[in-house]
Amino acid sequence: MTDTAIVGDSSVPARARPPNVPADFVQTHLSSQHHPVFGDPSAHFVMDLGRFGGEDDEQALADLKLWEGADAEKEKLYQAIERYERKCQPKHRTCRTLDEIRHGAHTWNDILQEAGNASKKHEDKNIVIKYMRKLRDFASSFEGWADMLPQGDYSAALTIGFKIILTACARMSDIHGIVFEVMGSIPEYISNAERYKAIYKSTRNVKLVKKTALLYTAIVVALAQTFDYLGERSIVAPLKAFLLGQKYQKKLEEKLKAVLAATEAVKAEATLCLHEVNAQGLAEQQHNETQRRQDYAEALAETRQSDHKLYQKLESVDERLSYLTNALDAAYRQLRSSQYLDPVTNMPPQLQIQHSDASRSSSPMPSPTAVARRKAISTKQIVKSLGFHKEDPYNDLLDRLQLGGSMPLNQQARAVDLIKSEELKNWLRLTSSTALLIHGGSPDDDTEDPLSFFAAKIVSIMQESAPFITIQYFCGLHRDTKADDDPGGGGDAQAMMNSLLGQLLTQGKYDFDLVEITPQDLSMLETDDLRSLCMIFSMLVKQLPPASALFCVIDSIAAFENSFRSGDMVKVLRHLVRLVRKSNDVSFKLLITCAGESQFRKRYEISEREILLMDEELVHDDGLGYNDGLFDEDMTEPLEDDLRRVSTPRLQLEEYLDDF
């Protein structure tokens, strides 16, 4: 890189944008009479973009204005990089031209390679090994956050900054430890805010965008300060390197504290956004519930009116039938008195002979109902075809309930926090058919996920204390039914539907009409045919009597979301969600849990308002963890009351209509 390729420290102030006379003329003098586009009220000239645009362009421009402060600090970072590169000898420069600094193809693989070189250079220094390991561990999380930033060079500035700093660390011997601490701590801070990143992706809350811009600003300021240190270090003698490091240590420590504070600020703001989203979703559900009740009341009134009209028609039909019956009786009496009838058979002689011949030549044809009853498949036959054992779901439930006392205290506290959450209680109070997906914020392969204990406890309460049909499946206990890397064999989604169907058939509260099930269907069930399993399950749900309630709990779905299981899992959960949408007479409550964040939630057709995210920061943590006494006092009795409300939704609706 030559010195002429590096810009100086001076900056040219931005000039005012000149007036755009053609654009002003278009907006003030042309209309739809000249061309349809001029009559579009949403199309107007966006001055800062230099072109005509609509509401989406205005929103994009508004988002960019939130980053104006970050843009200024980012430019200072680029200038600090250029100053440092200019001070280095040509052979030590990372970029040869100014354009390569700002527009070069730099990747995080380059950064990790330079981190490895720095570790080898300073392998005798524990602080270097410690923070370079953190950089490698949290690099992917930090890169993911950088990719979320607005379009432009926001991410590129971070990439080139990290790369050049680590290249210098791999070359120089007397680099102060604070530089390595900066390189390792920033990715670590961002990695600790995973929940914030998930919320940032799903919402464009203005306050959260502002906090993100401030976090980015704090990071680039810390990097710029590091480059100032490296620039002075490159021109001082080794003996003065120690004193220079002491000089910058305090400054960089303050910059790191600012990054940490900005990270905590975005996490706090994200939590507030989450509560707002959940509150909005609940309000929308309550509004929909009210509207549904109103629609039901209107439909009921129309039905009663139609019934009244039908009753009037039936009265008229009864009168006509009575007249016709009397006429037929009179005709029959007249025929019996006729001399042409046999006195024994009451039939003409010719008709009597024909009737006798027909009786001898053919046997009576049974009615269709008699045929259906004779060939009906029994529940026992279906259960045998499924290979279902009633004790298997019970044993799985006992296994998950034992987690309550074996989990670490912090995991117990997360389970208690969810059990006490208002969002969950409000969802349970809804009497309509609804689905809920809970994201736990833990690793997907967590074998002691507090959500699994929570799901088991909910199932236990419903089975013991409420008149529900309750079916459940704990996916995490059945991961070994097919290896993660084996595309062959039976699918886990089939095993899950097999168990759910078996539980529904053997629940003992209601009998099902199985006339429509054929021997061919039994053969398909023996092979765990997914389409047959789903079809028969839907048929049974639709047969449940009005005012009944069905609870279905599916836990740890991430266990079945690998590449070979996900296809069938998507089909099954999407089928169940659609069945919930169609269940108007039966209260079908579908509860799904995922230790981390389900990657297929959109394909399951689960809306954002049907997702509950567990808070990273505990609300009800008293440090005591879980115990049965606490659960019974704070959760069991209120929850049982809520669940009983769900068990009689139609009765409550009738009471509402009477008052209405």
Side-chain angles (χ1 to χ4, degrees), residues 20-28 45 47 52:
N20 193 316
V21 177
D24 294 340
F25 178 81
V26 168
Q27 289 193 294
T28 57
F45 191 80
M47 183 65 70
F52 281 90

Side-chain angles (χ1 to χ4, degrees), residues 480-492 494 562 564-565 568:
D480 58 347
T481 58
K482 182 174 67 174
D484 290 347
D485 56 352
D486 179 14
D492 290 302
Q494 288 93 327
N562 60 56
F564 298 119
R565 293 176 172 135
D568 288 340

